[in-house]
Amino acid sequence: MHEIRWCELNKMDENEFWYIIDKYFYLGNDNDEIRIYLENKELSQIIDFKNILLEKMNVSYVFPLLEANFVISSYVSDDGFADFRAWLVSKGSQKFYEALKNPETIAIWLEKDDIEQIEVSEFRYVADEAFLEAGGSVEEFEERVIYLPDPNMIMDWPDNKEEYSMRFPNLVEKFWNQDLINEYHSE
């Protein structure tokens, strides 16, 4: 008879991950609520949540999303792109996968006044905090989390607004901010 270990019975899968996102973030974008929810799960499930998040962030480490991040925010950095991808995950599976397939879809649902929401680095670390609050240790967390290396990315940056517009007409029309780009890139 095949032996099933306890931790395998309580494993969080991708469906539950997206359920949590839809319930707590898509509807209200509340990091505290999801942290409290995760604190009441098994430590292994908190690790599963973190590993699924990291896998989704890894899958979304693609150049078209990096370009979209630049058009929307007028600037990109490693941390900023990580925040952008985590924010995208926090919008739920439908928006995440649509944006992964075509970043132009972000222009449909993101309002210009909501750009500051993209900087949700707290979401990147909500499972870390929940794990510690639930009694886990930093050492155990680091041993069990699977940090994937960023995929290789070929970057073919457009030279100007017109070239960006050819790739992302809706994003450029809605979010392009030449003054902010000049300010960020003059430093």
Side-chain angles (χ1 to χ4, degrees), residues 5-18:
R5 295 178 30 204
W6 173 252
C7 64
E8 291 174 348
L9 291 174
N10 290 321
K11 186 159 184 63
M12 181 181 292
D13 65 11
E14 188 172 325
N15 290 330
E16 184 176 2
F17 173 83
W18 286 120

Side-chain angles (χ1 to χ4, degrees), residues 107-149:
I108 296 168
W109 50 266
L110 177 63
E111 296 302 321
K112 198 169 187 174
D113 293 339
D114 295 332
I115 292 174
E116 59 274 354
Q117 289 180 4
I118 293 172
E119 297 181 9
V120 291
S121 60
E122 303 87 38
F123 176 59
R124 288 172 51 198
Y125 303 107
V126 72
D128 311 43
E129 293 171 12
F131 189 83
L132 297 176
E133 288 295 322
S137 70
V138 172
E139 294 80 16
E140 181 183 8
F141 186 82
E142 290 300 320
E143 285 176 10
R144 296 175 65 191
V145 169
I146 301 168
Y147 293 98
L148 302 167

Side-chain angles (χ1 to χ4, degrees), residues 122-175:
E122 303 87 38
F123 176 59
R124 288 172 51 198
Y125 303 107
V126 72
D128 311 43
E129 293 171 12
F131 189 83
L132 297 176
E133 288 295 322
S137 70
V138 172
E139 294 80 16
E140 181 183 8
F141 186 82
E142 290 300 320
E143 285 176 10
R144 296 175 65 191
V145 169
I146 301 168
Y147 293 98
L148 302 167
D150 291 333
N152 289 331
M153 182 188 305
I154 298 171
M155 294 186 231
D156 181 23
W157 290 101
D159 291 325
N160 54 48
K161 179 181 178 180
E162 290 72 29
E163 289 181 16
Y164 278 100
S165 292
M166 290 172 55
R167 293 181 189 186
F168 305 110
N170 297 321
L171 287 172
V172 169
E173 181 179 335
K174 190 170 188 176
F175 299 107

Side-chain angles (χ1 to χ4, degrees), residues 13-27:
D13 65 11
E14 188 172 325
N15 290 330
E16 184 176 2
F17 173 83
W18 286 120
Y19 169 80
I20 295 166
I21 299 298
D22 290 340
K23 182 175 180 179
Y24 291 105
F25 284 95
Y26 182 68
L27 299 174

Side-chain angles (χ1 to χ4, degrees), residues 28 38 44 46 59 89-90 96 103 113 126 136-137 139 147 158 170 179:
L38 289 173
S44 63
I46 300 171
V59 166
V89 172
S90 79
F96 174 78
D113 293 339
V126 72
S137 70
E139 294 80 16
Y147 293 98
N170 297 321
D179 292 336

